[in-house]
Amino acid sequence: MGKTVLTVDDSASIRQMVAFTLKSAGYDVIEAVDGEDGLNKAKGKVADLVLTDQNMPKMDGLTLIKSLRGLPDYRSKPILMLTTESSDAMKAAGKAAGATGWLVKPFDPQKLLEVVKKVIG
Amino acid sequence: MSGKSLSTKKFAAFVIIVALVVAVVVWFADPVWRVLAVAVAAIIVVVFGSGAGDGQAKADSHQVGEAPLRSALGLLMKDFAQEERAQFQSSNADLERVKDLLSHAIQELVQRFGEMNLHIQSQRDLALAIVANMTSQEQGEERVSFSEFVLNTSKTMEAFVDNTVNTSKIAMSLVETMDLIDKEVNTIINILGEIESISKQTNLLALNAAIEAARAGEAGRGFAVVADEVRALSQRTNHFSQQIRTHMEGVHTSMLVAHDSIYEVASLDMNFALQSKQRVQSTMTRIGQINHDMADLANQINQHAGQVSVEVNAAVTALQFQDMSSQLIDHAQSRINNVAQLVEVIANQIDKSPDLGSGLSQARDAMRAKVTVDSNRNHPVKQESMSSGDIELF
């Protein structure tokens, strides 16, 4: 059974591109439309990796990471930010919130796949 | 002081009236210019009205003509705010449509690219499967590679041809041996001639001996018996010699027939076998070349499929412009909304203030406060190109 990746992004096209990239490599992909939806879906099924955007309605990426780190199942799970935000301040905030890594959009599907493989195999 | 103040006041009033006239004229001209002109008029009013107001507010708040001016300005700003709000809502609706259209188009494109990539990969798998089938085939429970099959067939054919050639050589050798045997047979037939000659002479001698024995009379009787026996032996020898000759001549004739047949077979088989060997070698070389060419083609298809994947990845990267554009549009909408709110703030301040001077002054303060808050908002998209972004693992 393939490993599960939860992708959280308010952009349907980005979710589609992430799903297309990861599914073609054999991963199961769960999609969530914002931080709140991501938190609910993360509780529903424990993902091996969470990929989240920063700027989303209802709940942003950093808040989602903080919430997930409060859950026993996600204390040590890798969580990657995938966002257009690229400032050092935002990255530092992400690191402090518990992000495993920071990927700046636009992403290269091949490089995304390499990072995902490196993080969860 | 009062002279200068009066002059400044008159100038400000003049500028405001000119601006209002221009705004009203343009108002009926074109919706886009209407918004722009009213904005310029508003700025002129704020700047000159406020500047004039600072100096005159305390002393001339009761001036005749200010109340109608404030009322006109307040109405204008309200109308402007209302019209501006309508325009901005319309623009927002258009931008939302642009975002929706882009989003749907990009999703469709990503879907198509994904399917195209899948088809190309399937095509590559099929090409590789064809080559795999060409290079291997079922043989019982084992799979034997096609190249092995070609090699085995070639070896079998070579062994068959070698055997045939070897058989031909043996046949030629047999022909030579038969020539030798034939020569021996001829020698034996010649020797038989000698034996027959000896037999004839012996018979003649026995006859002479019998004659001499008869001339000797009684004394020669015994010798005559011996002579007869010798003569009988001579005839039997001659008879056996004739029989041997007959058989040897039969052997000689059969040898000649066998010789000719073997010679003919040996000559024909040798040419056929050599030609067959060349044909088999040529066919196998050709099959091997086809096999090699097919493997090369499959390899090229594989490379093209890999290149298509790279291109699709690049396209997917580039198509993310929609997400960035959408965020930029959101940001632009937010700024447009700020401008709309700004005009409302100014209109409200003018409307609720007791006099024009303080109203304009408060409007400016409120505007500056709002502009400060808005300018501190984070800009979500810093990227200036569509090359893929940085990756950093903490």
Side-chain angles (χ1 to χ4, degrees):
Chain A
M1 186 180 164
K3 296 196 172 175
T4 304
V5 178
L6 171 63
T7 176
V8 188
D9 203 305
D10 57 329
S11 163
S13 60
I14 292 291
R15 291 198 305 274
Q16 188 192 24
M17 291 177 199
V18 170
F20 157 69
T21 303
L22 298 182
K23 280 180 180 173
S24 66
Y27 294 102
D28 292 330
V29 178
I30 302 171
E31 296 182 28
V33 298
D34 55 47
E36 201 175 282
D37 188 28
L39 188 59
N40 289 332
K41 285 186 172 155
K43 288 175 185 169
K45 181 178 180 181
V46 180
D48 297 292
L49 166 70
V50 178
L51 267 172
T52 179
D53 186 19
Q54 165 56 17
N55 300 310
M56 294 179 287
K58 294 185 184 176
M59 184 189 286
D60 65 27
L62 291 181
T63 310
L64 172 64
I65 293 178
K66 286 175 193 162
S67 303
L68 286 173
R69 289 305 183 205
L71 301 173
D73 284 333
Y74 288 92
R75 234 161 245 160
S76 57
K77 291 281 182 195
I79 305 176
L80 296 170
M81 290 292 290
L82 179 60
T83 172
T84 53
E85 297 281 1
S86 58
S87 70
D88 290 339
M90 283 300 288
K91 287 182 184 176
K95 193 175 178 181
T100 313
W102 197 280
L103 285 74
V104 178
K105 292 176 185 171
F107 69 87
D108 177 340
Q110 189 58 35
K111 287 181 183 168
L112 173 68
L113 206 53
E114 284 168 12
V115 171
V116 170
K117 279 181 182 168
K118 188 175 180 181
V119 174
I120 58 171
Chain B
M1 178 197 163
S2 68
K4 191 181 176 185
S5 174
L6 188 65
S7 172
T8 310
K9 193 171 71 178
K10 281 183 177 175
F11 178 69
F14 173 73
V15 170
I16 291 167
I17 290 163
V18 168
L20 290 175
V21 169
V22 169
V24 169
V25 169
V26 178
W27 183 273
F28 295 101
D30 179 82
V32 176
W33 285 105
R34 183 190 301 170
V35 172
L36 187 64
V38 172
V40 171
I43 289 165
I44 291 170
V45 165
V46 168
V47 172
F48 286 94
S50 171
D54 283 347
Q56 68 171 12
K58 291 174 186 170
D60 301 330
S61 62
H62 59 282
Q63 286 271 328
V64 178
E66 183 189 302
L69 186 64
R70 189 177 71 85
S71 175
L73 185 60
L75 281 173
L76 172 66
M77 289 306 289
K78 273 189 173 177
D79 285 353
F80 173 56
Q82 193 178 355
E83 177 62 23
E84 182 206 36
R85 172 64 66 189
Q87 291 288 335
F88 288 167
Q89 279 175 351
S90 175
S91 300
N92 272 341
D94 287 345
L95 288 172
E96 287 298 329
R97 247 188 101 205
V98 168
K99 279 161 59 182
D100 278 352
L101 286 170
L102 267 177
S103 179
H104 285 119
I106 297 303
Q107 285 181 60
E108 189 70 18
L109 274 172
V110 171
Q111 174 84 12
R112 298 294 171 217
F113 272 123
E115 284 176 10
M116 186 177 79
N117 196 34
L118 283 176
H119 286 308
I120 293 285
Q121 302 314 316
S122 300
Q123 193 181 35
R124 179 193 63 180
D125 292 344
L126 284 172
L128 291 175
I130 289 169
V131 173
N133 281 337
M134 281 202 66
T135 53
S136 66
Q137 59 182 26
E138 294 288 346
Q139 194 177 72
E141 292 183 353
E142 295 177 10
R143 286 186 77 83
V144 180
S145 77
F146 187 73
S147 54
E148 274 180 63
F149 166 74
V150 170
L151 190 67
N152 288 341
T153 307
S154 183
K155 279 183 177 173
T156 305
M157 283 305 295
E158 275 188 29
F160 169 74
V161 170
D162 286 345
N163 277 339
T164 308
V165 170
N166 202 31
T167 304
S168 294
K169 283 180 182 173
I170 292 169
M172 288 304 289
S173 175
L174 265 176
V175 170
E176 288 171 8
T177 307
M178 288 177 82
D179 282 343
L180 288 174
I181 294 170
D182 194 42
K183 282 180 184 171
E184 293 297 327
V185 169
N186 282 333
T187 305
I188 291 169
I189 289 171
N190 288 337
I191 291 170
L192 283 175
E194 289 295 321
I195 290 172
E196 284 165 8
S197 176
I198 291 168
S199 174
K200 282 180 184 170
Q201 286 182 6
T202 305
N203 186 41
L204 191 60
L205 282 172
L207 185 61
N208 287 338
I211 294 170
E212 290 302 324
R215 201 183 286 167
E218 194 61 29
R221 184 168 300 273
F223 189 72
V225 171
V226 173
D228 286 344
E229 287 301 322
V230 169
R231 193 178 170 204
L233 278 173
S234 161
Q235 285 172 342
R236 279 180 66 195
T237 300
N238 191 46
H239 177 69
F240 284 131
S241 177
Q242 289 292 331
Q243 280 187 322
I244 289 170
R245 173 182 289 276
T246 304
H247 287 300
M248 288 312 287
E249 282 175 352
V251 168
H252 174 69
T253 305
S254 298
M255 290 289 284
L256 283 177
V257 172
H259 175 276
D260 289 347
S261 299
I262 291 172
Y263 184 81
E264 188 178 355
V265 168
S267 301
L268 284 174
D269 280 353
M270 186 72 91
N271 291 334
F272 169 76
L274 288 173
Q275 285 171 1
S276 298
K277 186 177 179 179
Q278 284 171 354
R279 275 203 296 271
V280 167
Q281 280 178 338
S282 171
T283 304
M284 289 304 161
T285 303
R286 181 74 189 129
I287 289 172
Q289 187 61 44
I290 290 169
N291 201 23
H292 185 259
D293 290 348
M294 287 295 288
D296 271 356
L297 287 173
N299 193 34
Q300 283 179 34
I301 290 171
N302 193 20
Q303 285 177 353
H304 285 304
Q307 193 58 38
V308 168
S309 288
V310 170
E311 299 297 344
V312 166
N313 281 349
V316 168
T317 305
L319 288 173
Q320 288 167 54
F321 84 90
Q322 179 265 332
D323 177 57
M324 292 162 70
S325 304
S326 180
Q327 289 192 48
L328 285 169
I329 290 172
D330 284 343
H331 195 68
Q333 282 178 303
S334 163
R335 285 188 179 279
I336 289 171
N337 195 42
N338 290 342
V339 173
Q341 288 174 1
L342 208 55
V343 172
E344 279 177 6
V345 164
I346 292 168
N348 285 337
Q349 288 296 336
I350 291 171
D351 190 47
K352 72 183 183 187
S353 294
D355 60 82
L356 182 61
S358 62
L360 291 174
S361 178
Q362 284 169 13
R364 186 172 60 177
D365 292 343
M367 180 188 77
R368 283 179 179 163
K370 179 151 180 56
V371 167
T372 306
V373 169
D374 292 340
S375 63
N376 286 334
R377 285 190 184 169
N378 181 39
H379 195 291
V381 181
K382 304 280 193 305
Q383 289 82 350
E384 292 183 353
S385 77
M386 287 311 296
S387 56
S388 64
D390 293 336
I391 295 173
E392 190 177 341
L393 292 179
F394 302 135

